[in-house]
Amino acid sequence: MQMPKTEPANFDKAILQEQQTVSRMIRIYCRAKHQPEGELCAECEGLRAYALHRIERCAFQPDKPTCGKCPVHCYRPEMRARIRSVMRYAGPRMLTTDPVAAVRHLIRTFRKPSAKVKQAIQRQNDHA
Ligand SMILES: [Zn+2]
């Protein structure tokens, strides 16, 4: 499959889409697991704020793989574990509720890392 190239003009759009997808996944997860009174429970609200901030600050935008596959561990381990369970739970469910966003997320997940990402992996290995 030919992956669409993300042009610099789409930079903000890609970030926004990723943020929306992650927000939606956290909402699906929280509703099912925590039955919050409002939109999200306090814990998931914190996770969402953290994840959105990380996406915004990500060094690899717009050509990054999704955070689950990213070679750079910018998430704190505890937050990383939490976002992973959110994605494991909400990912398959989004295929039925919002297939477009789910597929977009999958495409990013399986996208080959760009040269920039590969260099970062290399640098990490050198320091290991
Ligand atoms: Zn929650």
Side-chain angles (χ1 to χ4, degrees), residues 61-75:
Q61 292 285 8
D63 59 353
K64 75 178 206 55
T66 51
C67 296
K69 294 269 171 177
C70 191
V72 175
H73 299 279
C74 74
Y75 278 62

Side-chain angles (χ1 to χ4, degrees), residues 25-80:
M25 284 180 164
I26 293 174
R27 211 178 310 141
I28 291 171
Y29 177 83
C30 187
R31 277 198 190 142
K33 302 271 182 185
H34 309 140
Q35 282 103 34
E37 283 183 28
E39 180 96 332
L40 293 173
C41 72
E43 207 171 289
C44 291
E45 187 56 60
L47 177 64
R48 191 177 73 111
Y50 184 81
L52 297 191
H53 187 66
R54 303 268 39 123
I55 291 167
E56 210 172 278
R57 299 283 308 272
C58 178
F60 297 128
Q61 292 285 8
D63 59 353
K64 75 178 206 55
T66 51
C67 296
K69 294 269 171 177
C70 191
V72 175
H73 299 279
C74 74
Y75 278 62
R76 290 201 308 265
E78 166 224 347
M79 288 304 211
R80 188 175 164 81

